[in-house]
Amino acid sequence: MKHSNLFFIELMLVLLFFSISAAVILQLFVAADNRQKQSDRIEMAVICAQSVAEAFSVSGSLADCVGVVFGGMACGDDIHQLEVKLNDDFAAASDGNIILSLSENEKSTQAGTLSRLEMTFEYNEEEFYTIGCTSYTPRQGGVLDG
Amino acid sequence: MNGTNKSATSRVLNTFAGMLLFLLFTICMLMMIGAAAATYSRINSGYETTYGSAAAIRYVSNKIRSSDSCKITDDANGIIVTNGSLITLIYMGSGGLYEKNVAIGGDVSQSGGELIIEADALSVIDNGGLYSIIVECGGDRTSVLVRKG
Protein backbone atom coordinates (compact mmCIF):
# COMPACT_ATOMS: atom_id res chain seq x y z
CA MET A 1 0.00 0.00 0.00
CA LYS A 2 2.84 2.31 0.81
CA HIS A 3 4.50 1.57 -2.57
CA SER A 4 1.23 2.16 -4.33
CA ASN A 5 0.70 5.52 -2.61
CA LEU A 6 4.22 6.63 -3.46
CA PHE A 7 3.74 5.54 -7.07
CA PHE A 8 0.58 7.60 -7.42
CA ILE A 9 2.15 10.63 -5.79
CA GLU A 10 5.08 10.40 -8.18
CA LEU A 11 2.71 9.95 -11.12
CA MET A 12 0.69 12.98 -10.13
CA LEU A 13 3.86 15.07 -9.82
CA VAL A 14 4.98 13.95 -13.29
CA LEU A 15 1.58 14.81 -14.73
CA LEU A 16 1.66 18.21 -13.06
CA PHE A 17 5.10 18.93 -14.52
CA PHE A 18 4.03 17.89 -18.03
CA SER A 19 0.82 19.93 -17.78
CA ILE A 20 2.75 23.07 -16.90
CA SER A 21 5.25 22.39 -19.73
CA ALA A 22 2.42 21.78 -22.20
CA ALA A 23 0.73 25.04 -21.21
CA VAL A 24 3.98 26.98 -21.72
CA ILE A 25 4.68 25.33 -25.08
CA LEU A 26 1.14 25.95 -26.33
CA GLN A 27 1.48 29.61 -25.35
CA LEU A 28 4.67 29.80 -27.42
CA PHE A 29 2.94 28.28 -30.44
CA VAL A 30 0.03 30.71 -30.14
CA ALA A 31 2.49 33.61 -29.91
CA ALA A 32 4.37 32.33 -32.99
CA ASP A 33 1.12 32.02 -34.92
CA ASN A 34 0.09 35.56 -33.97
CA ARG A 35 3.51 36.88 -34.93
CA GLN A 36 3.28 35.19 -38.33
CA LYS A 37 -0.16 36.71 -38.95
CA GLN A 38 1.11 40.15 -37.95
CA SER A 39 4.10 39.76 -40.24
CA ASP A 40 1.81 38.80 -43.14
CA ARG A 41 -0.39 41.83 -42.46
CA ILE A 42 2.59 44.19 -42.50
CA GLU A 43 3.89 42.65 -45.73
CA MET A 44 0.52 43.07 -47.46
CA ALA A 45 0.14 46.59 -46.02
CA VAL A 46 3.47 47.58 -47.58
CA ILE A 47 2.34 46.32 -50.98
CA CYS A 48 -1.03 48.07 -50.63
CA ALA A 49 0.68 51.31 -49.57
CA GLN A 50 2.93 51.06 -52.62
CA SER A 51 -0.11 50.85 -54.91
CA VAL A 52 -1.76 53.81 -53.21
CA ALA A 53 1.44 55.88 -53.42
CA GLU A 54 1.91 55.11 -57.12
CA ALA A 55 -1.72 55.95 -57.92
CA PHE A 56 -1.48 59.15 -55.84
CA SER A 57 1.66 60.28 -57.65
CA VAL A 58 -0.10 59.83 -61.00
CA SER A 59 -3.49 61.28 -60.10
CA GLY A 60 -2.38 63.96 -57.60
CA SER A 61 -5.66 63.75 -55.67
CA LEU A 62 -6.79 61.44 -52.91
CA ALA A 63 -10.27 60.89 -54.32
CA ASP A 64 -8.96 59.82 -57.74
CA CYS A 65 -6.32 57.63 -56.12
CA VAL A 66 -8.90 55.78 -54.01
CA GLY A 67 -11.08 55.36 -57.07
CA VAL A 68 -8.27 53.69 -58.99
CA VAL A 69 -6.95 51.45 -56.21
CA PHE A 70 -10.12 50.50 -54.32
CA GLY A 71 -12.85 51.13 -56.87
CA GLY A 72 -14.12 54.12 -54.93
CA MET A 73 -15.05 52.07 -51.84
CA ALA A 74 -14.11 54.69 -49.30
CA CYS A 75 -16.07 56.54 -46.66
CA GLY A 76 -15.64 59.99 -45.19
CA ASP A 77 -17.24 63.41 -45.45
CA ASP A 78 -13.99 65.23 -46.14
CA ILE A 79 -12.36 64.45 -49.50
CA HIS A 80 -8.98 64.96 -47.84
CA GLN A 81 -9.66 62.42 -45.05
CA LEU A 82 -10.95 59.05 -46.18
CA GLU A 83 -11.22 55.57 -44.69
CA VAL A 84 -11.24 52.28 -46.55
CA LYS A 85 -12.16 48.93 -45.04
CA LEU A 86 -10.03 46.02 -46.22
CA ASN A 87 -10.44 42.29 -45.81
CA ASP A 88 -7.62 39.86 -44.96
CA ASP A 89 -6.49 39.92 -48.61
CA PHE A 90 -6.24 43.72 -48.46
CA ALA A 91 -9.02 44.13 -50.99
CA ALA A 92 -11.75 46.71 -50.35
CA ALA A 93 -14.69 45.13 -48.49
CA SER A 94 -17.57 46.71 -46.61
CA ASP A 95 -17.16 44.19 -43.76
CA GLY A 96 -13.38 44.24 -43.66
CA ASN A 97 -11.60 44.25 -40.31
CA ILE A 98 -8.55 46.21 -41.47
CA ILE A 99 -9.02 49.97 -41.70
CA LEU A 100 -6.85 52.14 -43.94
CA SER A 101 -7.01 55.81 -43.00
CA LEU A 102 -5.89 58.25 -45.69
CA SER A 103 -5.15 61.86 -44.91
CA GLU A 104 -4.11 64.40 -47.53
CA ASN A 105 -2.42 67.76 -46.89
CA GLU A 106 -1.99 70.22 -49.74
CA LYS A 107 0.44 73.10 -49.75
CA SER A 108 0.16 75.51 -52.65
CA THR A 109 3.25 77.40 -53.72
CA GLN A 110 3.95 79.79 -56.54
CA ALA A 111 5.44 76.98 -58.61
CA GLY A 112 2.88 74.32 -57.92
CA THR A 113 1.09 72.21 -55.33
CA LEU A 114 2.81 69.86 -52.91
CA SER A 115 0.47 67.16 -51.66
CA ARG A 116 1.37 64.90 -48.76
CA LEU A 117 -0.55 61.68 -48.16
CA GLU A 118 -0.41 59.83 -44.83
CA MET A 119 -1.56 56.19 -44.77
CA THR A 120 -2.32 54.40 -41.52
CA PHE A 121 -3.32 50.76 -41.29
CA GLU A 122 -5.27 49.54 -38.25
CA TYR A 123 -6.31 46.08 -37.16
CA ASN A 124 -8.59 45.63 -34.16
CA GLU A 125 -8.22 49.36 -33.46
CA GLU A 126 -4.47 48.95 -33.18
CA GLU A 127 -2.21 50.75 -35.62
CA PHE A 128 0.32 48.37 -37.14
CA TYR A 129 1.77 50.24 -40.12
CA THR A 130 1.97 53.84 -41.20
CA ILE A 131 3.74 55.55 -44.08
CA GLY A 132 3.62 58.86 -45.93
CA CYS A 133 4.22 59.87 -49.51
CA THR A 134 4.44 63.15 -51.39
CA SER A 135 3.29 64.24 -54.83
CA TYR A 136 4.24 67.47 -56.53
CA THR A 137 2.07 68.99 -59.26
CA PRO A 138 3.80 71.91 -61.02
CA ARG A 139 1.63 74.83 -62.01
CA GLN A 140 1.22 75.43 -65.72
CA GLY A 141 3.75 78.12 -66.74
CA GLY A 142 5.46 77.85 -63.35
CA VAL A 143 7.23 80.80 -61.72
CA LEU A 144 7.39 82.82 -64.94
CA ASP A 145 3.64 83.57 -64.78
CA GLY A 146 2.87 87.01 -63.17
CA MET B 1 -12.25 -14.36 2.70
CA ASN B 2 -13.84 -10.97 2.67
CA GLY B 3 -10.49 -9.41 3.48
CA THR B 4 -8.91 -11.27 0.56
CA ASN B 5 -11.68 -10.12 -1.81
CA LYS B 6 -11.30 -6.52 -0.69
CA SER B 7 -7.54 -6.71 -1.14
CA ALA B 8 -7.89 -8.10 -4.67
CA THR B 9 -10.50 -5.45 -5.55
CA SER B 10 -8.34 -2.62 -4.28
CA ARG B 11 -5.36 -3.96 -6.26
CA VAL B 12 -7.47 -4.04 -9.42
CA LEU B 13 -8.74 -0.54 -8.76
CA ASN B 14 -5.22 0.73 -8.09
CA THR B 15 -3.96 -0.75 -11.35
CA PHE B 16 -6.93 0.61 -13.28
CA ALA B 17 -6.49 4.09 -11.80
CA GLY B 18 -2.82 4.06 -12.74
CA MET B 19 -3.57 3.04 -16.30
CA LEU B 20 -6.28 5.69 -16.52
CA LEU B 21 -3.82 8.38 -15.49
CA PHE B 22 -1.33 7.20 -18.12
CA LEU B 23 -4.10 7.23 -20.72
CA LEU B 24 -5.07 10.77 -19.73
CA PHE B 25 -1.45 11.84 -19.99
CA THR B 26 -1.10 10.23 -23.42
CA ILE B 27 -4.26 11.88 -24.74
CA CYS B 28 -3.12 15.31 -23.51
CA MET B 29 0.29 14.88 -25.11
CA LEU B 30 -1.22 13.73 -28.42
CA MET B 31 -3.58 16.73 -28.46
CA MET B 32 -0.67 19.06 -27.80
CA ILE B 33 1.38 17.49 -30.60
CA GLY B 34 -1.60 17.77 -32.96
CA ALA B 35 -2.10 21.46 -32.12
CA ALA B 36 1.62 22.16 -32.54
CA ALA B 37 1.72 20.36 -35.91
CA ALA B 38 -1.34 22.26 -37.15
CA THR B 39 0.17 25.58 -36.07
CA TYR B 40 3.49 24.81 -37.75
CA SER B 41 1.74 23.74 -40.95
CA ARG B 42 -0.32 26.95 -41.00
CA ILE B 43 2.73 29.14 -40.37
CA ASN B 44 4.71 27.35 -43.06
CA SER B 45 2.05 27.52 -45.77
CA GLY B 46 1.25 31.15 -44.91
CA TYR B 47 4.93 32.03 -45.18
CA GLU B 48 5.30 30.33 -48.57
CA THR B 49 2.29 31.97 -50.17
CA THR B 50 2.74 35.45 -48.72
CA TYR B 51 6.43 35.79 -49.26
CA GLY B 52 6.36 33.93 -52.58
CA SER B 53 3.78 36.26 -54.12
CA ALA B 54 5.26 39.34 -52.43
CA ALA B 55 8.73 38.52 -53.76
CA ALA B 56 7.36 37.98 -57.28
CA ILE B 57 5.41 41.26 -57.19
CA ARG B 58 8.44 43.18 -55.95
CA TYR B 59 10.73 41.68 -58.57
CA VAL B 60 8.45 42.59 -61.46
CA SER B 61 7.65 46.07 -60.15
CA ASN B 62 11.34 46.86 -59.52
CA LYS B 63 12.17 45.75 -63.06
CA ILE B 64 9.53 48.11 -64.45
CA ARG B 65 10.73 51.03 -62.33
CA SER B 66 14.36 50.61 -63.30
CA SER B 67 13.65 50.29 -67.03
CA ASP B 68 13.87 52.90 -69.77
CA SER B 69 10.67 51.65 -71.37
CA CYS B 70 8.18 48.87 -70.78
CA LYS B 71 5.67 47.01 -72.90
CA ILE B 72 3.12 44.32 -72.05
CA THR B 73 3.28 41.08 -74.03
CA ASP B 74 0.38 40.22 -76.35
CA ASP B 75 -1.08 37.63 -73.99
CA ALA B 76 -0.75 39.98 -70.97
CA ASN B 77 1.22 37.26 -69.17
CA GLY B 78 4.47 39.11 -69.21
CA ILE B 79 6.36 42.31 -69.75
CA ILE B 80 9.21 43.38 -71.99
CA VAL B 81 11.47 45.98 -70.40
CA THR B 82 14.25 47.81 -72.17
CA ASN B 83 17.40 49.10 -70.47
CA GLY B 84 19.80 50.66 -72.92
CA SER B 85 20.66 47.93 -75.41
CA LEU B 86 19.34 45.11 -73.25
CA ILE B 87 15.82 43.72 -73.47
CA THR B 88 14.48 41.70 -70.56
CA LEU B 89 11.39 39.55 -70.99
CA ILE B 90 9.60 38.39 -67.84
CA TYR B 91 6.85 35.89 -68.59
CA MET B 92 4.72 33.22 -66.98
CA GLY B 93 5.98 29.76 -67.81
CA SER B 94 5.54 26.28 -66.48
CA GLY B 95 5.43 26.56 -62.67
CA GLY B 96 6.69 30.10 -62.27
CA LEU B 97 8.05 33.36 -63.56
CA TYR B 98 10.79 33.14 -66.15
CA GLU B 99 13.26 35.83 -67.22
CA LYS B 100 15.10 36.09 -70.50
CA ASN B 101 17.71 38.70 -71.45
CA VAL B 102 18.44 39.45 -75.09
CA ALA B 103 20.12 42.23 -77.04
CA ILE B 104 17.94 44.62 -79.03
CA GLY B 105 16.70 42.82 -82.12
CA GLY B 106 17.00 39.42 -80.45
CA ASP B 107 14.35 36.73 -80.01
CA VAL B 108 11.71 37.85 -77.49
CA SER B 109 9.59 34.71 -77.67
CA GLN B 110 8.42 33.20 -74.39
CA SER B 111 10.85 30.32 -74.28
CA GLY B 112 14.38 29.66 -73.17
CA GLY B 113 14.14 31.79 -70.07
CA GLU B 114 15.44 31.09 -66.59
CA LEU B 115 13.08 30.34 -63.71
CA ILE B 116 13.32 33.16 -61.17
CA ILE B 117 10.46 32.45 -58.78
CA GLU B 118 7.64 29.93 -58.44
CA ALA B 119 4.15 31.26 -59.11
CA ASP B 120 0.82 30.06 -60.49
CA ALA B 121 -0.16 33.01 -62.69
CA LEU B 122 1.00 36.45 -63.76
CA SER B 123 -0.97 39.15 -65.52
CA VAL B 124 -0.06 42.74 -66.34
CA ILE B 125 -2.80 45.22 -67.24
CA ASP B 126 -2.44 48.73 -68.59
CA ASN B 127 -4.46 50.96 -66.25
CA GLY B 128 -4.08 54.39 -67.78
CA GLY B 129 -0.92 55.89 -66.29
CA LEU B 130 -0.29 52.77 -64.24
CA TYR B 131 0.51 49.10 -64.73
CA SER B 132 -1.50 46.68 -62.64
CA ILE B 133 0.59 43.59 -61.84
CA ILE B 134 -1.30 40.57 -60.50
CA VAL B 135 0.49 37.46 -59.23
CA GLU B 136 -1.17 34.27 -58.03
CA CYS B 137 0.82 32.02 -55.74
CA GLY B 138 -0.50 29.06 -53.78
CA GLY B 139 -4.11 30.14 -54.20
CA ASP B 140 -3.43 33.69 -53.01
CA ARG B 141 -3.77 36.61 -55.39
CA THR B 142 -1.65 39.72 -54.85
CA SER B 143 -1.76 42.84 -56.95
CA VAL B 144 0.18 46.10 -57.07
CA LEU B 145 0.08 49.26 -59.17
CA VAL B 146 3.26 50.63 -60.71
CA ARG B 147 3.62 53.99 -62.38
CA LYS B 148 4.54 54.01 -66.03
CA GLY B 149 7.84 55.60 -66.99
Side-chain angles (χ1 to χ4, degrees):
Chain A
M1 192 56 103
K2 210 177 194 178
H3 290 296
S4 181
N5 285 343
L6 281 173
F7 170 72
F8 276 117
I9 289 169
E10 187 184 351
L11 192 59
M12 293 304 290
L13 284 173
V14 165
L15 279 177
L16 181 68
F17 171 77
F18 273 109
S19 302
I20 293 170
S21 304
V24 169
I25 288 169
L26 277 175
Q27 270 190 333
L28 288 174
F29 273 110
V30 169
D33 193 35
N34 286 339
R35 187 60 65 96
Q36 172 67 21
K37 284 179 186 166
Q38 188 185 19
S39 177
D40 288 350
R41 272 197 294 273
I42 292 175
E43 182 71 33
M44 295 306 294
V46 168
I47 291 174
C48 182
Q50 180 183 321
S51 295
V52 172
E54 297 273 7
F56 184 67
S57 70
V58 169
S59 66
S61 97
L62 178 56
D64 292 340
C65 158
V66 167
V68 169
V69 181
F70 302 114
M73 285 186 72
C75 52
D77 296 327
D78 184 359
I79 58 165
H80 297 295
Q81 308 265 351
L82 295 173
E83 269 190 6
V84 183
K85 285 189 180 175
L86 307 171
N87 58 18
D88 290 339
D89 293 331
F90 279 76
S94 55
D95 57 348
N97 48 14
I98 297 170
I99 297 176
L100 168 59
S101 303
L102 300 153
S103 170
E104 181 187 23
N105 273 327
E106 280 187 352
K107 190 176 173 184
S108 290
T109 64
Q110 202 175 8
T113 304
L114 188 69
S115 304
R116 174 142 181 101
L117 176 66
E118 291 285 340
M119 293 176 264
T120 304
F121 291 84
E122 287 177 12
Y123 178 75
N124 284 346
E125 295 179 4
E126 191 184 333
E127 177 187 311
F128 66 90
Y129 182 69
T130 186
I131 193 169
C133 66
T134 309
S135 169
Y136 176 68
T137 309
R139 193 173 299 185
Q140 288 273 340
V143 182
L144 295 178
D145 273 350
Chain B
M1 194 66 146
N2 275 341
T4 311
N5 281 344
K6 276 185 187 171
S7 173
T9 307
S10 81
R11 267 205 303 274
V12 166
L13 280 176
N14 280 340
T15 309
F16 181 70
M19 287 169 67
L20 197 62
L21 277 173
F22 269 121
L23 183 67
L24 184 67
F25 167 74
T26 307
I27 290 171
C28 289
M29 286 301 112
L30 285 174
M31 283 170 63
M32 196 188 78
I33 290 169
T39 305
Y40 176 77
S41 167
R42 195 166 52 245
I43 289 174
N44 213 26
S45 68
Y47 172 84
E48 280 174 7
T49 54
T50 301
Y51 291 100
S53 61
I57 282 270
R58 284 217 167 88
Y59 188 86
V60 175
S61 60
N62 285 341
K63 277 287 182 182
I64 292 176
R65 283 202 196 91
S66 63
S67 67
D68 297 333
S69 65
C70 180
K71 184 182 144 193
I72 301 175
T73 56
D74 294 334
D75 56 4
N77 276 353
I79 52 163
I80 301 171
V81 297
T82 307
N83 264 322
S85 60
L86 181 71
I87 295 177
T88 302
L89 168 66
I90 298 176
Y91 62 95
M92 186 65 209
S94 158
L97 297 186
Y98 287 75
E99 184 182 61
K100 182 171 157 182
N101 294 301
V102 297
I104 288 183
D107 172 30
V108 288
S109 62
Q110 293 186 14
S111 62
E114 187 183 332
L115 177 69
I116 49 173
I117 198 163
E118 290 182 3
D120 297 332
L122 165 73
S123 63
V124 185
I125 302 165
D126 193 332
N127 206 347
L130 299 157
Y131 286 122
S132 177
I133 304 166
I134 302 165
V135 171
E136 285 180 37
C137 199
D140 276 347
R141 189 180 151 107
T142 309
S143 66
V144 75
L145 294 171
V146 179
R147 193 176 43 197
K148 278 184 189 175

